[in-house]
Amino acid sequence: MNKLFKKNIDDILSQKYLSYAISTIVSRSLPDVRDGLKPVHRRIIYSMYQLKLFDSSSYKKSARIVGDVMGKFHPHGDQAIYDSLVRMAQDFSTRIKLIDGQGNFGNIDGDNPAAMRYTEARLEHYTNYFFDGLEENAVDFKENYDGQNLEPEVLPSKLPNILINGSMGIAVGMATNIPPHNISELIDCLILLIKNPKTNFTQINKLLNGPDFPTGGEVILSNSEKKEIYSKGKGSFIINSKWKKEDLKNGMYQIIIYEIPYQVNKIKIIEQLANFINTKKIPLDDIVDESDENIRIVLKPKNRNIDPKKLIEICFKLSDLSTRYSCNFNVLIDGTIPKQIGIIEILLNFLDHRKNSIKRKSEFNINKIKKRLEILKGFQIVFKNLDRIIKIIRTKDEPKKELLRKFKLSELQVDSILSMRLGSLKKIDEKNINQEINILNKDLKYLKNLITNKKSLDNFISEELKNINNEIHSLIKERKTVILKESNYSSDVNIDEFKEVEKFTIVIDKEFNLKRFKDHIEFEDLKKNNKDILYSSQLLSNQKLLLFVSSGKVFSIDPNAIPSGNSNPKSFIYFVDSMPNDKVVGLIDSSKNKIFAASKNGKGFISYIEYFITNQRKGKQFFNLKNNDSVIKVFLLEKSHIVCVTKLQKMLAFDISLIPELQKGSGVQLIKIKEKDYLSDLVDLNPEEGLTWNTGSKNRKLDKIDFWLGKRAQSGKKIPKFFNKNLKFSE
């Protein structure tokens, strides 16, 4: 029979999608704050409880468990149920395992578990804490999907499993991601909240260090991040791998990664680092996985000169050896209301659930004790009136009615009396009945006090938590994750630092062509083989070469880019954006410090290399030139005085203290320059060492320069005898 609906399609879609969204949130993706379980996990655990698969029993095939869960409680795919069961049995996925698995349940490499027909499972000892009062009306039961079985709405857990094992889920329009925590720390927090429900975050903060992952690692959690996460239920933090350095022979070493971030696939990390090795992004020679039941990833550096801390920093930066974990404390309140809450609210909700389940269990047991006491009081009447009761039972057609009438017994008492065996009418049984009544009365009084007295209930829960803390194995209680308030690692580590450091000598000839030689070679040795060499600079491969030109600009050049070996030298213009008429006037490496710059018009100043390093190809203007001036020389300043020579054969020496230190500028007058004159050359010296120069193949020396000593900007005096015709200190 067909039925037509006349409704707006928008209304139908929104209504149906809303139903689907609510179903996803409540019945699939978000955990209940009370027992910390999603429906699928609760159904698996309850089904195993019904199968009596406790930690003391034998294992059962996973396929049997999955079949029971699917048939009775969870009408979804068997693979989805099995995947949930497997996760609860993985010690790298849950902080405290809920299921004890036998067989291949997967590994941290991401390998799949064996099929459910091959694996077996039973409940872990920890899961016993979920069943307190389950059969004593501690929680409500509801009908399963077909109405043929009952399942618990929530388990009466003794512990806040939602924080102990954490939870992760994606619903419609919302998600949850709660990290696992240390059970001992949480028990301390609960005991504090029981004593004072108005406890603030500052007090909780002293007891709870932070997340505690099954895979360990180091969590970087500042005070502000911690407050944001645990007070508002949202935030993030960094998880770093743990590593150590192992020394090898000949000064070599290797790095051992022995703990990795939570929920990170070990094979993925190895693949990431292997790709970076192939593309030469990190200075590793090899990566080897030597893991067994413990993680051991071996990183082998290219050489022993690489700083291990900086090497691990670059690995953290480029791979999942360091990850960011985002927290989102979205939970179901009372199993129906999704809400993002902080840790105090989570713990208080759990305590309310625990108190409620204890009260319900106590009321169940009170009623049970009352019924038993009623029966025992009936038995007492039997012993007092034994002969009369036996006579009534033997002689009357309806002894039940007669006993009800004569002894004013209840129906429960009469039914119990009539079902008594003759063997229980011994004298000793009368004594045992009296003892049992006394014990039951004490239990009844205790349970009533537990329900009515808030302090008694609080003390009961506190003692219960302390006992649990003592029962749990020390290996489970021991914290696995280290919490640091700030990182010991730099995220700004530069990959260039890890390039193999070599010694270079860079030369430039009179045609301004650059060439690179291996090792450090002295200028005089270079000159022997090539008379055209103008300047040379000794530096390391990880340093910059600073090239100064006549237009007052400085350029930074990577020495690794300069041709070497049998390659032809290249003009400096190939490496920089320079003016066509520029001439190279200085070549200095970036490791040096103080320099001196001078121009043709006799201007000059002192500066420092650190001001001139630039990554721009167009360079940096350091000398402001006027009146068609040009820079003639930039050199490393190492001595106390400057000696200047002009084209009109004047020479002046003065103390460098008379020269200003500038980042850049026009400089000051070094020597007075007359019309048609210009500065020819200058050099630094120590007066006590004398002045040297070369004329042709001869080296000359002037022991005393007192005659030419003066003040800056003076005209100077006639050059010494035998000074070379080019008016240069070195030809």
Side-chain angles (χ1 to χ4, degrees):
M1 184 179 174
N2 293 329
K3 192 174 181 181
L4 294 175
F5 290 92
K6 288 189 177 179
K7 249 184 175 183
N8 191 319
I9 190 73
D10 290 347
D11 295 338
I12 294 171
L13 284 174
S14 62
Q15 184 183 347
K16 297 295 180 188
Y17 190 75
L18 182 62
S19 300
Y20 164 71
I22 292 169
S23 171
T24 304
I25 292 165
V26 175
S27 305
R28 189 182 302 175
S29 301
L30 294 192
D32 194 306
V33 72
R34 296 169 291 180
D35 62 5
L37 298 172
K38 297 178 191 177
V40 64
H41 301 124
R42 189 179 300 114
R43 286 164 178 169
I44 291 168
I45 290 171
Y46 180 62
S47 186
M48 292 177 76
Y49 171 82
Q50 284 191 323
L51 290 167
K52 301 195 183 312
L53 291 178
F54 302 112
D55 59 310
S56 56
S57 69
S58 57
Y59 295 88
K60 261 194 173 61
K61 285 285 185 187
S62 299
R64 166 69 196 278
I65 298 164
V66 170
D68 255 44
V69 174
M70 187 166 57
K72 288 183 178 178
F73 308 116
H74 202 68
H76 296 272
D78 59 344
Q79 194 58 48
I81 297 169
Y82 184 52
D83 287 345
S84 297
L85 185 151
V86 163
R87 183 174 165 77
M88 289 192 284
Q90 292 174 334
D91 58 2
F92 53 88
S93 294
T94 50
R95 182 62 182 82
I96 305 177
K97 289 195 300 177
L98 301 175
I99 290 174
D100 178 13
Q102 186 168 259
N104 175 14
F105 276 80
N107 56 37
I108 202 165
D109 289 346
D111 295 334
N112 292 325
M116 67 181 85
R117 63 182 178 273
Y118 298 120
T119 60
E120 297 177 337
R122 66 183 180 188
L123 292 170
E124 277 280 7
H125 178 73
Y126 169 73
T127 325
N128 293 337
Y129 297 122
F130 283 85
F131 305 130
D132 182 51
L134 188 60
E135 295 178 359
E136 297 169 294
N137 196 39
V139 291
D140 288 329
F141 279 70
K142 62 181 179 182
E143 288 186 347
N144 70 334
Y145 66 91
D146 63 1
Q148 292 186 16
N149 292 282
L150 291 175
E151 62 174 309
E153 289 184 1
V154 65
L155 293 179
S157 175
K158 290 183 177 183
L159 291 167
N161 183 64
I162 194 163
L163 290 170
I164 291 169
N165 276 321
S167 186
M168 184 181 70
I170 300 170
V172 175
M174 61 179 63
T176 187
N177 204 22
I178 303 169
H181 293 79
N182 185 273
I183 188 168
S184 285
E185 292 175 12
L186 288 172
I187 286 173
D188 290 340
C189 292
L190 284 170
I191 292 169
L192 180 65
L193 279 168
I194 290 166
K195 287 179 182 174
N196 179 17
K198 293 183 179 179
T199 298
N200 58 32
F201 173 74
T202 307
Q203 292 165 301
I204 291 288
N205 188 30
K206 292 174 184 174
L207 300 175
L208 189 73
N209 290 320
D212 190 18
F213 296 107
T215 51
E218 284 182 349
V219 164
I220 314 302
L221 188 63
S222 66
N223 288 331
S224 59
E225 287 172 333
K226 190 175 179 183
K227 188 174 182 181
E228 178 78 12
I229 291 167
Y230 289 119
S231 58
K232 297 181 181 177
K234 196 171 181 68
S236 66
F237 52 81
I238 290 169
I239 314 173
N240 289 333
S241 301
K242 281 188 189 173
W243 63 281
K244 60 186 177 184
K245 178 188 169 190
E246 273 189 7
D247 292 319
L248 305 173
K249 60 183 178 181
N250 299 325
M252 279 299 291
Y253 70 89
Q254 58 188 20
I255 288 173
I256 309 299
I257 308 292
Y258 60 93
E259 285 180 12
I260 61 174
Y262 183 53
Q263 292 177 331
V264 171
N265 187 319
K266 175 160 67 73
I267 290 296
K268 184 184 175 186
I269 291 173
I270 292 166
E271 285 174 354
Q272 286 174 338
L273 293 174
N275 287 334
F276 291 132
I277 291 170
N278 293 335
T279 55
K280 298 184 178 178
K281 282 193 175 180
I282 50 177
L284 285 177
D285 192 45
D286 197 10
I287 177 169
V288 182
D289 186 9
E290 296 181 357
S291 306
D292 43 29
E293 66 272 8
N294 299 313
I295 288 174
R296 182 180 166 89
I297 304 170
V298 182
L299 307 181
K300 298 184 177 181
K302 279 200 166 181
N303 61 65
R304 61 190 174 195
N305 298 322
I306 297 169
D307 184 341
K309 190 167 182 290
K310 288 191 175 181
L311 176 58
I312 207 71
E313 281 171 359
I314 198 74
C315 291
F316 281 179
K317 187 176 181 179
L318 297 175
S319 75
D320 285 343
L321 283 173
S322 177
T323 59
R324 182 166 282 279
Y325 187 96
S326 296
C327 297
N328 193 354
F329 289 14
N330 258 327
V331 296
L332 289 176
I333 307 292
D334 295 328
T336 54
I337 304 162
K339 189 180 179 184
Q340 188 180 81
I341 56 177
I343 191 166
I344 292 176
E345 201 171 343
I346 289 174
L347 293 173
L348 288 174
N349 269 281
F350 164 75
L351 284 173
D352 287 344
H353 169 60
R354 183 68 190 131
K355 287 175 183 177
N356 187 48
S357 62
I358 290 169
K359 284 179 180 178
R360 289 183 57 160
K361 178 187 170 184
S362 299
E363 284 169 357
F364 177 87
N365 285 315
I366 285 169
N367 292 329
K368 192 176 174 182
I369 289 169
K370 282 179 177 177
K371 283 181 182 177
R372 180 64 181 161
L373 283 171
E374 189 180 337
I375 291 167
L376 292 173
K377 284 174 183 174
F379 288 168
Q380 281 183 322
I381 291 170
V382 169
F383 283 109
K384 284 179 184 175
N385 304 278
L386 187 59
D387 292 337
R388 290 173 64 194
I389 289 171
I390 290 172
K391 187 178 179 182
I392 290 168
I393 293 169
R394 289 190 67 192
T395 59
K396 300 294 180 182
D397 293 333
E398 292 183 351
K400 183 176 180 180
K401 286 183 180 178
E402 193 68 23
L403 290 171
L404 284 168
R405 186 176 61 80
K406 279 203 171 185
F407 296 101
K408 295 181 180 179
L409 297 169
S410 66
E411 284 205 17
L412 177 65
Q413 286 173 323
V414 171
D415 288 340
S416 301
I417 290 166
L418 291 173
S419 61
M420 279 179 81
R421 295 170 61 187
L422 285 171
S424 62
L425 296 175
K426 302 189 297 290
K427 187 70 179 172
I428 188 137
D429 283 336
E430 184 181 6
K431 188 180 178 183
N432 291 340
I433 286 167
N434 292 330
Q435 285 178 346
E436 189 179 348
I437 288 171
N438 290 333
I439 292 167
L440 288 174
N441 279 324
K442 285 179 183 176
D443 290 344
L444 189 65
K445 186 180 178 183
Y446 175 76
L447 290 173
K448 283 181 177 177
N449 185 52
L450 201 60
I451 292 173
T452 56
N453 190 315
K454 180 182 175 296
K455 191 175 180 182
S456 296
L457 183 59
D458 287 345
N459 289 338
F460 175 82
I461 296 172
S462 293
E463 287 304 312
E464 182 181 68
L465 289 168
K466 287 173 186 174
N467 291 335
I468 291 171
N469 202 20
N470 293 331
E471 285 172 17
I472 288 173
H473 199 284
S474 57
L475 287 175
I476 294 174
K477 291 192 288 184
E478 188 180 335
R479 172 166 273 279
K480 293 186 177 183
T481 301
V482 175
I483 307 293
L484 302 174
K485 290 189 177 179
E486 56 184 29
S487 178
N488 295 324
Y489 307 104
S490 170
S491 57
D492 300 326
V493 62
N494 189 349
I495 199 163
D496 291 337
E497 292 180 48
F498 300 103
K499 289 177 181 174
E500 196 169 340
V501 178
E502 296 179 79
K503 290 180 179 180
F504 291 155
T505 300
I506 309 296
V507 299
I508 191 163
D509 61 21
K510 290 177 181 178
E511 297 297 321
F512 305 130
N513 294 319
L514 288 164
K515 183 79 184 267
R516 186 181 82 215
F517 294 96
K518 275 193 173 182
D519 294 323
H520 288 171
I521 307 169
E522 295 301 324
F523 184 74
E524 289 76 15
D525 296 331
L526 291 165
K527 270 283 204 182
K528 287 175 187 176
N529 299 322
N530 189 349
K531 301 280 186 188
D532 289 337
I533 290 176
L534 189 62
Y535 303 112
S536 74
S537 179
Q538 296 176 357
L539 73 168
L540 300 175
S541 58
N542 61 351
Q543 295 171 342
K544 294 285 187 183
L545 177 73
L546 296 184
L547 186 141
F548 298 85
V549 296
S550 54
S551 60
K553 276 193 171 185
V554 58
F555 303 95
S556 299
I557 299 174
D558 181 0
N560 297 283
I562 296 170
S564 63
N566 296 325
S567 305
N568 292 324
K570 284 185 178 177
S571 172
F572 79 97
I573 295 171
Y574 180 84
F575 304 99
V576 298
D577 292 339
S578 178
M579 299 294 287
N581 298 323
D582 272 346
K583 296 176 182 178
V584 178
V585 295
L587 207 64
I588 302 171
D589 75 86
S590 59
S591 69
K592 300 298 187 285
N593 190 14
K594 193 182 284 189
I595 62 159
F596 197 96
S599 73
K600 193 174 182 180
N601 288 345
K603 298 279 189 177
F605 61 89
I606 298 168
S607 193
Y608 293 87
I609 285 289
E610 62 190 74
Y611 300 139
F612 301 143
I613 298 171
T614 174
N615 291 323
Q616 294 185 346
R617 189 179 166 87
K618 66 180 182 179
K620 200 174 190 180
Q621 190 74 35
F622 76 97
F623 211 125
N624 297 328
L625 300 168
K626 299 174 184 176
N627 304 324
N628 298 319
D629 199 3
S630 62
V631 179
I632 62 161
K633 195 170 185 180
V634 178
F635 60 92
L636 191 63
L637 187 60
E638 296 177 310
K639 298 180 181 179
S640 63
H641 285 65
I642 294 288
V643 183
C644 301
V645 175
T646 70
K647 190 65 179 173
L648 295 179
Q649 299 186 352
K650 296 288 185 179
M651 190 168 88
L652 175 67
F654 54 85
D655 196 306
I656 63 164
S657 61
L658 302 171
I659 307 297
E661 294 181 357
L662 308 172
Q663 283 192 32
K664 64 175 184 177
S666 304
V668 295
Q669 199 68 41
L670 304 177
I671 186 170
K672 190 172 183 181
I673 301 294
K674 297 179 181 178
E675 196 177 345
K676 296 182 181 180
D677 195 9
Y678 58 83
L679 185 63
S680 177
D681 199 6
L682 72 162
V683 73
D684 63 336
L685 85 163
N686 293 320
E688 63 274 13
E689 294 172 0
L691 176 66
T692 59
W693 68 90
N694 59 306
T695 306
S697 59
K698 290 184 179 180
N699 290 326
R700 305 270 183 182
K701 184 175 182 183
L702 188 67
D703 291 326
K704 291 189 178 182
I705 62 160
D706 295 352
F707 178 71
W708 288 273
L709 280 173
K711 291 185 179 179
R712 175 184 70 77
Q714 289 180 339
S715 298
K717 296 177 181 177
K718 185 74 174 172
I719 59 174
K721 248 183 202 183
F722 309 116
F723 204 81
N724 65 55
K725 292 178 182 178
N726 290 333
L727 298 169
K728 302 279 186 186
F729 291 104
S730 60
E731 289 186 315

